[in-house]
Amino acid sequence: MNFSELFKLSGLLGRFSPDGKCLASCVQHRLVVRDASSLQLLQLYTCLDQIQYIEWSSDSLFILCALYKRGIVQVWSLEQPAWHCRIDEGSAGLVASCWSPDGRHILNTTEFHLRITVWSLCTKSVSYIKYPKACQQGVVFTKDGRYMAVAERRDCKDFISIFVCNNWQLLRHFDTETQDLSGIEWAPNGCVLAAWDTCLEYKVLLYSLDGRLLSSFRAYEWPLGVKSIAWSPSSQFLAIGSFDEKVRILNHVTWKKITELDHPATIASKKTIVYKEVEKSPTVDTERLSFPPTRELASSLFSTKSKYDISQVPVSLQYVKPVADRANPKVGVGMLAFSADNCFLATKNDNIPNAVWIWDIRKLKLSVVLEQLCTIQCFQWDPCQPRLAVCTGTSRVYLWSPAGCMVVQVPGEGDFQIVSLSWHSSGDSMVLLSKDNFCVCYLEREEVK
């Protein structure tokens, strides 16, 4: 495994292009585009103010930069660096911006969610979508890019509108049986749309493309409800993470619950492997000691390293009791992700912030628990194989696969605290992001296989 040098970064804005050839990053008001394999500088663009969001177009030819404070979006072309586009929403303001699947339209959401403006880069035409709802996930596209669903709120009721993306014509408009719609998500096959209600009301609704209600799921009535949702890549399963520290999995045939995955503080099953991260003291060759020590030696002396030990069950995990009188309590399953081959599901229960749970979907059983020394910040599956990368706000990255798991220390002198990561589309590298820096981790070919 090899690592690049550290590069400056702001706002955790580092993204690989969809075709995998480029890596874009932001430093204040500058957008830097590098070659993804050599990290050689390809383009440097200067925006009018600090960049708060970036997104590649689907064909990797354009980059959108959103300057929310100014209500401006700037678009840059990789093929024609002299060409640029500026969209100013004026007094309406700007709270969100994204590409349409064709990479030639930009959707801007104005302040107070008064409307969504659809700007065409080709014809310079403008379309408007009224009453978008301010919610967790209100605008979603099907994976094939043909349809867009928008959550709406009008006359104190929730609605969903489905649009055809090639001409922005309204296909279906229907109301939802929700009190306060919280989010919507298409199945990867684009046939079913999941919608879920506010956390105060446990309700998940499943709609067909023509707006028919296929099924409604409710696990319980009064306590806090849905916290997170994830579709399996095959669209066969819908995993629902709840505030009661459980994941419920629905099947795509009857939309009934097929299993309930609990997250207890004590792991008792002998069929579950618990990998516990433990610190190990750095070993220093006494013959190499010199005073004052060299910078390299000082770095190795004072940097703590860690490794994984296999714990004997039963194992008690670190459980944090939530503060009941505060908003957004740290309780329930807040992170969910299926592996690319549909075989595994990774979860994080916010009550047990230092653990990642990996479930075998073929057996519907808990397979592995990774118990870390620090709180889990982010995890993401390799897009090509069942391999999970985890970061915990330290200078280490953790990798798990069915063959085992490993701790990798990122070399370097400074304090590089990894809080987010993102895989390259090929699965042979990933970008590691901290608050002020980023680096690229290259996996060797035998590791990739």
Side-chain angles (χ1 to χ4, degrees):
M1 193 176 288
N2 297 310
F3 293 88
S4 72
E5 61 182 288
L6 294 184
F7 297 96
K8 284 189 177 179
L9 185 75
S10 57
L12 298 178
L13 297 175
R15 308 273 190 276
F16 283 117
S17 59
D19 64 6
K21 293 179 181 177
C22 300
L23 172 63
S25 61
C26 293
V27 185
Q28 303 301 331
H29 62 285
R30 289 188 298 275
L31 173 68
V32 184
V33 180
R34 291 183 169 86
D35 182 275
S37 54
S38 67
L39 296 185
Q40 185 178 352
L41 188 66
L42 297 178
Q43 295 293 344
L44 180 65
Y45 305 100
T46 304
C47 291
L48 295 169
D49 204 338
Q50 182 158 347
I51 304 165
Q52 288 159 293
Y53 176 75
I54 61 170
E55 187 179 319
W56 286 93
S57 62
S58 54
D59 56 8
S60 304
L61 296 179
F62 297 94
I63 308 175
L64 168 160
C65 298
L67 288 58
Y68 294 139
K69 288 178 185 174
R70 286 204 180 203
I72 290 173
V73 171
Q74 290 187 264
V75 186
W76 305 98
S77 167
L78 253 68
E79 285 189 328
Q80 303 172 39
W83 179 94
H84 73 279
C85 164
R86 188 176 108 180
I87 300 170
D88 192 338
E89 290 291 347
S91 58
L94 182 68
V95 294
S97 185
C98 69
W99 285 103
S100 67
D102 67 357
R104 296 298 178 270
H105 293 81
I106 289 171
L107 286 78
N108 286 343
T109 305
T110 60
E111 279 188 342
F112 309 110
H113 284 73
L114 296 176
R115 69 182 186 215
I116 294 172
T117 313
V118 183
W119 301 85
S120 170
L121 296 187
C122 300
T123 64
K124 297 184 182 178
S125 62
V126 181
S127 307
Y128 298 102
I129 298 168
K130 287 185 176 180
Y131 313 113
K133 184 174 169 66
C135 61
Q136 186 183 335
Q137 196 164 296
V139 179
V140 285
F141 298 95
T142 54
K143 198 173 180 182
D144 61 10
R146 293 173 66 189
Y147 303 105
M148 174 181 76
V150 178
E152 298 177 0
R153 182 83 172 176
R154 60 177 82 177
D155 302 325
C156 300
K157 286 184 179 179
D158 292 323
F159 297 87
I160 291 174
S161 289
I162 297 176
F163 294 87
V164 181
C165 289
N166 61 4
N167 57 12
W168 304 108
Q169 292 298 308
L170 181 65
L171 180 69
R172 285 285 183 274
H173 175 74
F174 53 91
D175 62 342
T176 61
E177 297 173 15
T178 52
Q179 286 187 9
D180 185 9
L181 183 64
S182 184
I184 53 178
E185 182 77 81
W186 285 106
N189 63 10
C191 295
V192 180
L193 180 69
W196 60 98
D197 213 334
T198 168
C199 63
L200 301 175
E201 180 85 11
Y202 198 117
K203 190 182 279 187
V204 177
L205 304 163
L206 297 149
Y207 293 96
S208 65
L209 193 58
D210 59 1
R212 284 179 299 114
L213 179 63
L214 300 174
S215 184
S216 174
F217 177 73
R218 191 175 201 164
Y220 48 81
E221 199 163 347
W222 297 114
L224 292 176
V226 177
K227 187 163 189 180
S228 55
I229 269 186
W231 285 97
S232 68
S234 64
S235 305
Q236 290 174 291
F237 303 110
L238 178 64
I240 306 165
S242 311
F243 278 90
D244 68 345
E245 303 175 45
K246 293 179 182 177
V247 174
R248 292 164 178 88
I249 296 183
L250 310 186
N251 75 82
H252 74 299
V253 179
T254 63
W255 300 114
K256 303 294 183 195
K257 181 182 75 175
I258 55 172
T259 192
E260 203 169 84
L261 309 176
D262 204 356
H263 294 70
T266 303
I267 308 295
S269 172
K270 291 184 178 178
K271 292 182 179 178
T272 302
I273 302 170
V274 180
Y275 290 103
K276 183 180 175 72
E277 184 192 5
V278 293
E279 285 189 340
K280 59 178 183 178
S281 304
T283 55
V284 180
D285 186 358
T286 52
E287 292 179 7
R288 287 178 58 226
L289 278 176
S290 60
F291 292 93
T294 62
R295 184 179 286 187
E296 181 189 347
L297 185 59
S299 175
S300 66
L301 268 170
F302 298 109
S303 66
T304 55
K305 296 188 176 160
S306 70
K307 62 174 183 174
Y308 278 122
D309 282 349
I310 296 179
S311 300
Q312 296 298 314
V313 292
V315 176
S316 293
L317 303 172
Q318 182 186 348
Y319 189 89
V320 178
K321 194 172 181 182
V323 182
D325 58 352
R326 297 234 183 119
N328 304 312
K330 296 282 185 186
V331 57
V333 181
M335 289 169 73
L336 287 170
F338 280 94
S339 61
D341 63 356
N342 298 285
C343 292
F344 297 97
L345 171 69
T347 63
K348 180 198 168 189
N349 177 15
D350 293 341
N351 297 64
I352 307 172
N354 293 14
V356 179
W357 310 65
I358 300 170
W359 308 82
D360 189 330
I361 295 301
R362 295 161 297 186
K363 300 174 184 174
L364 297 176
K365 298 283 185 189
L366 181 60
S367 176
V368 171
V369 174
L370 306 179
E371 188 184 2
Q372 307 297 142
L373 290 168
C374 301
T375 302
I376 308 299
Q377 300 289 331
C378 172
F379 59 67
Q380 194 179 68
W381 288 100
D382 181 328
C384 300
Q385 58 174 303
R387 178 171 51 182
L388 186 71
V390 181
C391 64
T392 61
T394 64
S395 59
R396 298 183 281 269
V397 64
Y398 308 88
L399 293 170
W400 175 88
S401 74
C405 60
M406 62 190 291
V407 183
V408 183
Q409 177 74 40
V410 178
E413 296 166 14
D415 190 20
F416 181 55
Q417 298 178 340
I418 307 163
V419 293
S420 184
L421 54 83
S422 179
W423 284 94
H424 187 275
S425 55
S426 67
D428 59 7
S429 64
M430 56 184 160
V431 60
L432 309 176
L433 310 173
S434 79
K435 187 182 170 189
D436 301 312
N437 302 97
F438 78 92
C439 79
V440 179
C441 166
Y442 297 96
L443 288 92
E444 292 170 11
R445 276 291 151 197
E446 53 268 23
E447 293 175 300
V448 174
K449 289 173 189 173

